Amino acid sequence: MSALTDLYKEITDCRQCDLCRQRNRAVPGEGAEEAAIVFIGEAPGWHEDQQGRPFVGPAGQFLDELLALIGMKRQEVYICNVLKCRPPGNRDPLPIEIKTCQQWLDRQLGLLRPNIIVTLGRYSMARFFPGQTISKIHGKARREDGIIYYAMYHPAAALHQQNLRETIRADMLKIPSLLAETKPSPDTKATEKPQQLSLL
Ligand code: URA
């Protein structure tokens, strides 16, 4: 068993906040253990709570479509959330829930060590781009300690605001260039700088 699978067991057994009382299933996350890209959403919704898997409802269908746009499947990336249990009625996560749950995301990222962390929506953005607003920084990236952080609107936002669909698609289409930046081609001379893509 991998360290990540061991961690899933700890997450599904977690009773450190009140969300455990109403959940059907905790939703640790899923995807490739060697994924270069990790997508982080907000919290499980109704469908995710039923299945114990992230992004399997309508927002997840749009995320799958977005991944297909860049020629990727969900099995090639890693997908998880800030909260591992569903807030009742899909209400916003509470600060205490985010704080209590942070240990799990930290440990996941420590094991996965991705090249790119994509935040989906306000709550995961707040974790990696503190003090920023999504309307200003979506589609922009920040490089820190060898990791590229990239902010996007939450796919569910497009379900309520059709006009965001194209924005979200356009932001997704920038990810392959970011990925290319993390993998210098063998014939790039040491002095050549890779092209920088709207870094913050
Ligand atoms: N919204 C999220 O933020 N995460 C999910 O897993 C599903 C919907």
Side-chain angles (χ1 to χ4, degrees):
M1 265 216 314
S2 71
L4 205 56
T5 321
D6 286 344
L7 184 58
Y8 291 165
K9 167 108 184 65
E10 286 188 63
I11 295 173
T12 50
D13 289 345
C14 176
R15 307 198 65 81
Q16 294 179 35
C17 85
D18 284 347
L19 293 181
C20 70
R21 294 170 197 262
Q22 296 187 50
R23 74 177 174 219
N24 283 300
R25 314 264 300 260
V27 181
E30 67 180 28
E33 300 208 353
E34 67 291 351
I37 313 178
V38 172
F39 290 85
I40 307 174
E42 179 178 319
W46 187 87
H47 297 274
E48 291 76 20
D49 175 71
Q50 295 290 313
Q51 296 185 37
R53 298 180 55 209
F55 283 94
V56 288
Q61 276 172 22
F62 186 40
L63 181 58
D64 288 346
E65 247 180 80
L66 291 167
L67 286 168
L69 265 187
I70 59 167
M72 297 193 94
K73 295 199 167 65
R74 62 159 60 212
Q75 302 90 285
E76 297 170 76
V77 300
Y78 193 86
I79 304 174
C80 60
N81 285 301
V82 169
L83 292 191
K84 308 307 186 199
C85 297
R86 179 186 183 224
N90 293 347
R91 64 156 167 73
D92 287 347
L94 301 176
I96 182 69
E97 293 162 353
I98 295 173
K99 190 161 175 258
T100 311
C101 218
Q102 183 171 327
Q103 57 183 313
W104 303 127
L105 183 56
D106 287 347
R107 285 175 61 189
Q108 279 175 311
L109 294 175
L111 292 169
L112 289 160
R113 299 167 49 81
N115 300 113
I116 305 183
I117 291 178
V118 181
T119 64
L120 300 174
R122 286 184 296 138
Y123 287 92
S124 55
M125 178 199 69
R127 166 75 203 284
F128 298 100
F129 297 88
Q132 303 275 8
T133 45
I134 191 87
S135 55
K136 287 218 180 94
I137 63 153
H138 74 89
K140 299 211 173 94
R142 187 185 86 237
R143 189 198 293 271
E144 198 175 304
D145 298 333
I147 300 179
I148 292 178
Y149 299 88
Y150 185 63
M152 287 181 57
Y153 280 103
H154 195 288
L159 306 178
H160 312 298
Q161 289 170 265
Q162 281 295 323
N163 59 329
L164 279 182
R165 258 188 126 75
E166 276 318 305
T167 306
I168 297 175
R169 285 205 178 100
D171 288 349
M172 190 74 173
L173 285 168
K174 292 182 188 170
I175 290 182
S177 322
L178 293 176
L179 199 54
E181 278 193 37
T182 68
K183 297 181 195 153
S185 72
D187 50 21
T188 304
K189 294 196 194 86
T191 50
E192 282 175 28
K193 283 230 168 92
Q195 196 200 351
Q196 295 258 315
L197 200 133
S198 52
L199 288 171
L200 276 178

